[in-house]
Amino acid sequence: MTAPPARFKIGGVWFPLRGTGNDQTTTGVSVVRDVDPGCYYLLRFFERVLNWGIADGVSAVLPAMGAGGPAQGLAVQATTTVDPMVWLKAHTWRFPLLALYPVTEEPARDRTGTWSQTTTAYKLAYILPPMTTDQAEHGFALLTAARRLLVLATEHFGASTIDGGGNPLEDAGVNTVEFNRAEYGVLQSGEGAASYPSLVADVVVQYREEADDEQGVASAYMQAAIDSLDGADVIGVDTAAFTVTARSDVG
C-alpha cells in the first residue's frame, strides 16, 4: 500500500492539522473553524439569526430589568462551543450567551467508495443573565421567541451570507440540520447560586464526509485497492467511484 497523501480534506477538515493561532483573537484564524467547521459556522449562523430577529426585544427587556443588558442591537453577547454549565459563572461569560457543542456522534453509515454519512448530536443553549422570578417572566418569553426563530431560519433560510458569501455549511459537509426537543428552565452554577433562564435544544446534524480528490486522496486509495489485489489482472479503474475491477477466471 502506498503512503497517504501529504495533505487531504475529510468532512471539511484538512489533515494533518496545522497550528492556526489563538481562537480567542479577533484577527487570527479560528482553530474551531479549522477543526470543526460545521459547528463553527452553525454557531455563527444561529448568532446572526438571533441578532437579526430578536435583538430589539432583548435590548428593550434586559436593561429595564436591571439585569446588565447587552449592547444595543445584540441578542448574543458571547458564543462558545463548549458546555457552559461546566463554568457557569457571571464573571466567566457575558450574557446573553449562545452555546453549541457536540455531545454524541454515530458511526459513519451509508458509506460508499467516495463518501459517508455521519450524524452528530449537539446541544444548543441560549442563556440569559441572572434574573429574579418576576424578571424571568419576560426572559422566558424571549427564549420562546428565540427557539421558534431558529427553527424557522434553519428550515427556510440559507447560510450564504455567513462570512461574505458562498455556502460555508455546505463546504463543511453539513447535509441536514434538524431541531428536536427543546427545554426551558433555569441553570445554576451551584446550590443557592444565581439563576439563569435558559433554552437548551437538541440539534442533530448529518454530515456528508467526502475526501478532497484534488489533494491526491483518490489516487492513493486507488493504488491501495490495486495493491490489495496482489497481482490480479486489473481490467477497469473508476477514479470517480473509487472502484477497481479485476478479471476473475472460473475454472
Side-chain angles (χ1 to χ4, degrees):
M1 180 176 177
T2 60
R7 191 157 167 77
F8 61 95
K9 184 178 181 181
I10 298 289
V13 181
W14 286 101
F15 294 96
L17 298 176
R18 294 178 177 173
T20 54
N22 186 345
D23 188 41
Q24 300 304 314
T25 64
T26 57
T27 57
V29 178
S30 170
V31 175
V32 176
R33 187 194 66 186
D34 289 345
V35 300
D36 193 355
C39 183
Y40 174 85
Y41 284 114
L42 276 173
L43 182 58
R44 288 183 63 86
F45 176 62
F46 294 151
E47 177 187 10
R48 292 195 178 193
V49 167
L50 293 178
N51 282 336
W52 169 78
I54 66 171
D56 287 348
V58 172
S59 297
V61 170
L62 294 187
M65 296 189 304
Q72 292 296 313
L74 292 178
V76 177
Q77 278 284 357
T79 61
T80 181
T81 53
V82 299
D83 183 355
M85 276 297 295
V86 180
W87 302 280
L88 187 57
K89 295 181 180 179
H91 70 269
T92 302
W93 304 109
R94 290 177 296 142
F95 298 93
L97 171 68
L98 180 65
L100 182 70
Y101 53 96
V103 290
T104 63
E105 185 166 286
E106 295 182 6
R109 61 183 182 83
D110 298 334
R111 185 186 299 276
T112 70
T114 56
W115 57 268
S116 63
Q117 300 276 16
T118 298
T119 301
T120 303
Y122 293 90
K123 288 289 187 183
L124 179 141
Y126 184 48
I127 308 172
L128 300 179
M131 298 179 183
T132 66
T133 302
D134 292 337
Q135 294 168 343
E137 180 177 353
H138 305 282
F140 278 106
L142 290 172
L143 295 175
T144 301
R147 188 258 176 190
R148 292 172 179 171
L149 177 62
L150 288 172
V151 172
L152 177 68
T154 302
E155 292 178 348
H156 298 286
F157 301 165
S160 60
T161 58
I162 300 178
D163 290 340
N167 193 331
L169 294 180
E170 181 177 331
D171 294 341
V174 174
N175 197 19
T176 62
V177 181
E178 180 180 354
F179 271 80
N180 289 334
R181 179 182 175 86
E183 295 185 3
Y184 303 94
V186 173
L187 300 180
Q188 291 183 310
S189 58
E191 185 177 353
S195 298
Y196 301 78
S198 62
L199 156 68
V200 179
D202 295 324
V203 180
V204 178
V205 179
Q206 187 178 78
Y207 289 95
R208 179 184 175 101
E209 299 188 348
E210 187 169 3
D212 189 332
D213 191 29
E214 294 180 358
Q215 300 300 312
V217 177
S219 60
Y221 286 173
M222 294 306 302
Q223 186 60 54
I226 293 172
D227 292 346
S228 69
L229 294 175
D230 193 23
D233 186 6
V234 176
I235 61 176
V237 176
D238 185 346
T239 57
F242 282 16
T243 60
V244 178
T245 305
R247 189 184 307 279
S248 176
D249 296 326
V250 179

